[in-house]
Amino acid sequence: MRHLIPSLCLALLLAETACSAPHAVKRNDSDNRQKAAATRQRAESAYNELDGFGTSATNSTANTPTAFNTGATTASQKIAAANDAVTETYANASAVQDIGQPVIMVSPNLSTKDGVPDLSSESPYSRTTAEAINGYLTKKNYEVKSVDGQAELNGILQMQSDIANTEDDLSYLASVALDADIYIKYTPEVTNDEVSVEVSAYETSTARLLGSQTAVVRNNGHTSKININSNIGAAVRKAMPGLEQKILGYWKTDLAKGTQYKVVANIKGEYSDSQTEDLHDAIMKGLKSNFNSVKVNVMTAKTLDFVIYANPLKYKDSQEVYAKIRQIFKPIAETKKNNITRKLILMELN
């Protein structure tokens, strides 16, 4: 009997081990699944933090405090707050993409003299240079504007008299009249030794210089029109890529602020100096409260010239912008619309 007791104990121990083995496997599987779930959650949280994007359901899961992501929650909240702040002030990425590329006008470096275009400084190679620049831009799918004919020129000069305190720059006036976002001025120069082309890009709404590029190619004493035109084209193709990069850098940065609209308001009513100051303050306060940003070009007793940066999600075109301006000005002055184009609003205040 005494010999059977150890055998029985050994048998019972083996049986208990055999029965507990499946439960141990199950516990191990459960632990592995929990660890895998925790790993996936940490990875998902990390991706969300890096991207700063995601659906609300994903963010909710990633931001739920756990033993693994308590630190990540604070970072995610900061990123979300920063994104919300940007959304309130700037156009979002899809809106910027919808607006597309800038409209560009190409013009020789001309000015007006005694109220008429001063053609004395225009190069005999001006047309060849313009055609080469236009060809480069259209190949890149830009919309290109140009002044064609005396009728358009007369309309531009008329606009000069409508816009107070502007420089006598025909290129600037033309770009405003033709609804270009940017205008390019060019100057070709031909000698026996070389052909050079200088191209400069300007912001239409303020005439601010965005950048310039100059390219030179050897002429080797060529005097034939065909050879010179070919060299001008080569100089343009050499200069334009650098200028294009400067334009696109400006365009991308500027679009983030909103769509630009140039507004010129002529004050027709009679106001004292104090009343004029009050009028200016009320106008600027109302504009800054309703648009992303306002940049003043000129502010006098009789003229307000400013650029509005409007959220393209709220204001689809210049007419909607004007309607909002009219609403803002209504309590303080009567408004009259003189002319509206794609990017320009001319109006009166009484």
Side-chain angles (χ1 to χ4, degrees):
M1 188 69 174
R2 281 178 302 183
H3 297 291
L4 292 174
I5 289 174
S7 300
L8 289 172
C9 290
L10 180 60
L12 289 172
L13 181 61
L14 292 173
E16 183 179 356
T17 301
C19 292
S20 63
H23 296 290
V25 171
K26 290 180 180 178
R27 282 197 300 272
N28 289 336
D29 289 344
S30 178
D31 291 342
N32 290 336
R33 284 196 297 271
Q34 290 177 357
K35 289 180 180 178
T39 301
R40 285 194 299 271
Q41 190 174 20
R42 290 197 302 273
E44 186 176 12
S45 176
Y47 280 124
N48 288 334
E49 274 199 74
L50 288 171
D51 289 342
F53 297 103
T55 62
S56 58
T58 300
N59 287 336
S60 175
T61 302
N63 292 332
T64 303
T66 69
F68 302 106
N69 71 354
T70 51
T73 301
T74 303
S76 297
Q77 289 171 345
K78 290 180 180 178
I79 292 171
N83 287 340
D84 290 342
V86 170
T87 302
E88 290 176 0
T89 306
Y90 301 109
N92 62 22
S94 62
V96 171
Q97 187 175 5
D98 289 342
I99 295 172
Q101 295 177 314
V103 177
I104 300 176
M105 193 207 74
V106 179
S107 167
N109 194 359
L110 293 177
S111 62
T112 58
K113 184 177 181 180
D114 299 327
V116 295
D118 181 14
L119 302 177
S120 60
S121 61
E122 186 175 7
S123 167
Y125 306 106
S126 179
R127 180 175 292 276
T128 300
T129 309
E131 289 174 352
I133 297 172
N134 289 344
Y136 178 91
L137 293 172
T138 53
K139 189 175 181 179
K140 294 295 190 74
N141 297 319
Y142 290 97
E143 182 180 350
V144 182
K145 300 280 189 176
S146 61
V147 181
D148 296 320
Q150 190 63 38
E152 278 189 348
L153 207 56
N154 291 339
I156 291 165
L157 295 175
Q158 177 60 44
M159 180 168 286
Q160 182 186 27
S161 65
D162 294 336
I163 302 177
N165 298 310
T166 58
E167 59 182 12
D168 293 337
D169 184 343
L170 185 60
S171 302
Y172 163 76
L173 295 169
S175 65
V176 171
L178 297 176
D179 292 331
D181 300 300
I182 292 166
Y183 63 96
I184 295 176
K185 295 164 67 171
Y186 59 85
T187 305
E189 186 174 344
V190 178
T191 67
N192 286 335
D193 295 328
E194 62 185 28
V195 171
S196 66
V197 173
E198 180 183 11
V199 285
S200 302
Y202 298 81
E203 177 186 59
T204 292
S205 56
T206 61
R208 175 169 63 96
L209 176 65
L210 303 179
S212 297
Q213 290 287 129
T214 300
V216 178
V217 298
R218 298 290 300 172
N219 190 36
N220 297 322
H222 290 299
T223 57
S224 71
K225 187 175 181 180
I226 293 176
N227 288 332
I228 291 176
N229 287 349
S230 176
N231 287 336
I232 288 174
V236 167
R237 290 189 296 273
K238 190 176 177 181
M240 281 303 296
L243 187 67
E244 183 186 15
Q245 289 303 311
K246 294 175 182 178
I247 290 172
L248 292 178
Y250 151 79
W251 185 246
K252 182 179 179 181
T253 301
D254 211 56
L255 273 188
K257 301 176 186 177
T259 306
Q260 279 193 33
Y261 296 92
K262 180 180 176 67
V263 182
V264 179
N266 292 322
I267 301 174
K268 297 296 185 180
E270 295 297 327
Y271 300 94
S272 66
D273 291 344
S274 177
Q275 289 174 328
T276 300
E277 293 285 345
D278 292 339
L279 181 64
H280 288 176
D281 290 344
I283 287 172
M284 297 313 298
K285 183 178 179 180
L287 292 173
K288 289 180 178 179
S289 298
N290 288 274
F291 296 103
N292 289 357
S293 179
V294 181
K295 182 191 296 182
V296 177
N297 295 328
V298 176
M299 184 179 286
T300 69
K302 292 298 180 182
T303 302
L304 294 174
D305 183 334
F306 51 91
V307 177
I308 285 176
Y309 290 85
N311 186 339
L313 301 179
K314 293 177 64 177
Y315 306 99
K316 304 299 183 184
D317 53 34
S318 56
Q319 178 57 46
E320 291 189 5
V321 171
Y322 172 73
K324 188 62 180 181
I325 294 173
R326 187 168 180 268
Q327 180 185 342
I328 294 169
F329 289 1
K330 195 169 187 179
I332 54 178
E334 292 184 3
T335 60
K336 178 185 176 183
K337 175 173 59 180
N338 287 340
N339 189 21
I340 289 183
T341 65
R342 189 177 70 90
K343 302 297 289 289
L344 174 68
I345 299 171
L346 297 178
M347 59 186 295
E348 292 180 4
L349 296 179
N350 291 298

